[in-house]
Amino acid sequence: MGQDTVVATVAGISVTVADVRKILQNDPAQLTQQFQQNPTLALGQVYLIRYLAAEGEKLHLEEKSPIKEELEELITLLKQQVLANAMVNQEQNGFLVTDQEIDDYYKKNESHWEEAKIKIILIGFKVAPVAPAKVDATSTEALAAAAKNALETAHPLNERTQAEAQKLAADLVQQLRGGADFAKLVAQYSDDAESKGTGGDFGTPIRATTSFAPELKKTVMAMKPGEISDPIQEGHGYYIIRLEQKTVQPINEVRESIVKDLRDNHLHDYLNDLTNRFKPQVQRPDFFAQPGKYLSATPPPPAPK
């Protein structure tokens, strides 16, 4: 569907995909929530408000009190918010990061950019069928779960039970630590089709910042070249890992991320200092314990002049 596609007409006005996108970008977050719940009603409300505002302009209501004062106050508040956001962006993106700071940060945090090349053996196991939960048959989540369970049980990696896979993985670890040929065991046992054809090579380097399972990353980063891991369960299988090589990404590959980190750190310190600077010093704890009690009270009349 193109951006110029008309998706609705409201009081004779054609509304396109681009119009709706602009409305959601420019209007408050509350409107976005309303649009998600009932898009046609929310869209109608937008154009209703626009109509009423236009009618009010024809009558010059913005020039009359108290509307005039309310608009002036609103414009002031909006301007303050826009300028405050702009100042935050300026403080972050305009912060100067020197080459020396980049070098120092890189040396101090080299482990953050470590990457490891590994070989793997995957010992899979058959997924035990799960009894369907008693839920509404029309539930999308229930149907999706049932479909996933049916697929996994119908197409397992092999016929091993989990206990059998765990025992075999432990036995292979013992053989490998005793000097067995890794590539031969890959060819004989591994259920990972992609790495099996390359002797177990796991093509993607493991890094602390990548989206692999936390336990797997933690194990790999603690290993030494040539070391064999204990079996690591992930999904429906056990991984056996041999660390081939551990290196650090060159500084030129991570320079942009370092600049971003340093600017983020500066912004954090900047905002933290301002937050502490503008932290209210409470003079009347009773007011802050029950502010509604005092704010809802009718203010006294002004003193006579």
Side-chain angles (χ1 to χ4, degrees):
M1 185 181 296
Q3 294 297 301
D4 294 331
T5 302
V6 175
V7 295
T9 57
V10 182
I13 302 171
S14 296
V15 183
T16 65
V17 173
D19 292 330
V20 176
R21 182 187 297 274
K22 187 175 181 180
I23 288 170
L24 295 177
Q25 287 175 343
N26 297 335
D27 281 294
Q30 183 179 0
L31 175 62
T32 301
Q33 184 178 0
Q34 293 173 347
F35 194 87
Q36 291 171 346
Q37 296 172 350
N38 191 329
T40 55
L41 178 61
L43 190 61
Q45 289 294 312
V46 168
Y47 282 89
L48 171 59
I49 290 172
R50 290 182 178 182
Y51 168 78
L52 291 173
E55 292 298 301
E57 284 185 350
K58 292 177 184 179
L59 299 176
H60 303 288
L61 297 182
E62 73 274 13
E63 300 174 5
K64 300 178 181 180
S65 295
I67 305 300
K68 180 180 179 180
E69 291 76 17
E70 290 178 2
L71 284 174
E72 289 173 349
E73 182 177 355
L74 182 60
I75 291 171
T76 299
L77 291 174
L78 181 59
K79 180 180 178 180
Q80 289 176 347
Q81 185 64 58
V82 170
L83 286 175
N85 289 338
M87 185 60 204
V88 169
N89 291 332
Q90 173 64 27
E91 193 65 33
Q92 181 178 34
N93 299 326
F95 179 67
L96 179 63
V97 177
T98 66
D99 289 340
Q100 185 61 53
E101 289 172 325
I102 293 174
D103 291 341
D104 292 343
Y105 189 83
Y106 177 76
K107 293 174 183 178
K108 184 179 179 181
N109 300 278
E110 276 193 348
S111 61
H112 186 72
W113 294 288
E114 274 189 328
E115 57 182 14
K117 294 183 179 179
I118 63 174
K119 288 183 180 287
I120 66 165
I121 297 175
L122 172 62
I123 305 301
F125 55 84
K126 183 177 181 179
V127 183
V130 179
K134 294 181 178 180
V135 295
D136 182 0
T138 61
S139 167
T140 302
E141 292 82 359
L143 292 174
K148 180 180 178 183
N149 184 55
L151 179 64
E152 290 174 342
T153 55
H155 301 281
L157 289 174
N158 49 60
E159 294 299 319
R160 298 187 196 98
T161 65
Q162 182 173 357
E164 290 170 341
Q166 186 177 26
K167 183 177 183 302
L168 175 58
D171 179 61
L172 293 180
V173 167
Q174 188 174 3
Q175 291 183 49
L176 291 166
R177 288 174 177 171
D181 188 295
F182 196 94
K184 287 184 178 180
L185 295 184
V186 168
Q188 185 175 355
Y189 293 105
S190 185
D191 293 310
D192 185 73
E194 186 174 350
S195 63
K196 190 168 186 174
T198 58
D201 284 337
F202 194 75
T204 306
I206 305 296
R207 298 174 184 143
T209 55
T210 50
S211 58
F212 295 107
E215 184 181 355
L216 186 146
K217 290 193 293 186
K218 181 179 178 181
T219 299
V220 169
M221 291 306 176
M223 295 171 66
K224 297 178 181 178
E227 193 172 358
I228 304 296
S229 74
D230 289 331
I232 302 172
Q233 184 184 351
E234 177 63 24
H236 305 123
Y238 289 91
Y239 283 88
I240 301 167
I241 296 171
R242 185 175 78 183
L243 178 64
E244 299 299 297
Q245 183 183 34
K246 190 180 289 184
T247 57
V248 178
Q249 288 178 269
I251 189 171
N252 287 336
E253 291 184 7
V254 298
R255 182 176 294 272
E256 288 187 9
S257 67
I258 291 176
V259 171
K260 183 179 183 305
D261 285 348
L262 290 171
R263 285 177 170 169
D264 288 347
N265 291 343
H266 167 73
L267 182 64
H268 176 271
D269 293 341
Y270 173 77
L271 293 177
N272 190 55
D273 288 343
L274 287 178
T275 300
N276 290 332
R277 177 181 171 186
F278 288 94
K279 183 178 181 179
Q281 302 299 312
V282 176
Q283 307 299 320
R284 290 290 302 267
D286 53 329
F287 171 83
F288 289 94
Q290 292 182 301
K293 172 183 176 182
Y294 300 96
L295 293 175
S296 62
T298 303
K305 296 182 181 181

